[in-house]
Amino acid sequence: NALEAQAIQANAELQLQVTLKNMGANNDAFDVIKEKAEQIQSAGIFGDEGMLAGAAELSTYMKDAQAITKMMDTLSNYAAGMSGGKEVSTEQMVNYATNLGKVLNGSYDAMTKKGFQFNDAQKAIIDGTATESQYVQVLGANYKDLSEDMMKAETVAQVINESWGGLYETISNTPTGKII
């Protein structure tokens, strides 16, 4: 079991490294993302190998490491809600990351069917067509300090967190979560 777990971990790390390189992310991105995955693992029920696999999928949609780590927090809450607080395999985590990634590309249908609603300003930010007032409305006056990827990540996080903000930590602290 230990060898299998080590192989899964090594595979997740390798996939993340390759994806980051292909997307042109900077050299520190892997370390930043790996540290975030370890932080999420230490806080609850999801292993860092699942979070690394999810981050690899998210990195196909964005290359800013800070934005990817922001999306990892969102992914942990989203996966906790979608799984009903159960353990999640690396494959399931990749599927959940793909759902969030589709939103980053402007496809809202799957999320809308799950009850998540994006207002016009949020859609405009994700689509890259927002006016200054829409940026300020959704992200605040300091939006200019954010990369395009981070603007999208913050916007998606707002929508997910309206319903499921803090869900990962809450589920992880239940008796069942502690057993997992």
Side-chain angles (χ1 to χ4, degrees):
N1 286 344
L3 290 174
E4 183 180 337
Q6 183 181 16
I8 291 170
Q9 179 80 22
N11 186 42
E13 288 181 13
L14 179 62
Q15 286 181 343
L16 177 60
Q17 288 171 329
V18 168
T19 306
L20 288 170
K21 183 178 179 187
N22 290 342
M23 295 304 291
N26 70 34
N27 294 334
D28 297 330
F30 176 78
D31 294 332
V32 169
I33 292 168
K34 185 174 180 189
E35 183 178 313
K36 184 63 174 183
E38 291 169 355
Q39 177 189 22
I40 290 170
Q41 176 180 335
S42 70
I45 61 176
F46 299 145
D48 63 343
E49 70 285 350
M51 294 310 301
L52 290 171
E57 178 64 19
L58 291 169
S59 69
T60 65
Y61 298 95
M62 51 182 36
K63 63 181 178 180
D64 179 337
Q66 298 300 330
I68 294 169
T69 60
K70 176 69 176 177
M71 287 299 293
M72 289 169 71
D73 283 330
T74 304
L75 176 60
S76 66
N77 286 325
Y78 180 72
M82 293 300 293
S83 70
K86 296 180 176 69
E87 288 183 88
V88 175
S89 69
T90 56
E91 293 82 14
Q92 289 169 306
M93 193 64 77
V94 168
N95 288 338
Y96 295 142
T98 300
N99 290 344
L100 294 178
K102 287 178 181 177
V103 171
L104 294 170
N105 281 345
S107 178
Y108 308 100
D109 292 343
M111 297 298 281
T112 302
K113 289 177 184 174
K114 292 178 177 39
F116 295 102
Q117 298 296 320
F118 291 81
N119 65 37
D120 290 339
Q122 290 166 328
K123 287 180 181 179
I125 289 170
I126 291 169
D127 295 338
T129 60
T131 64
E132 185 166 349
S133 65
Q134 288 173 317
Y135 282 118
V136 171
Q137 174 190 347
V138 174
L139 301 171
N142 295 328
Y143 77 90
K144 291 179 183 178
D145 297 336
L146 303 175
S147 70
E148 182 180 343
D149 284 348
M150 188 57 108
M151 288 183 207
K152 290 180 179 185
E154 288 284 349
T155 302
V156 173
Q158 283 180 10
V159 173
I160 300 298
N161 289 338
E162 282 179 24
S163 301
W164 289 348
L167 186 61
Y168 174 67
E169 187 175 327
T170 300
I171 287 176
S172 295
N173 288 321
T174 64
T176 302
K178 296 234 182 253
I179 291 169
I180 292 171

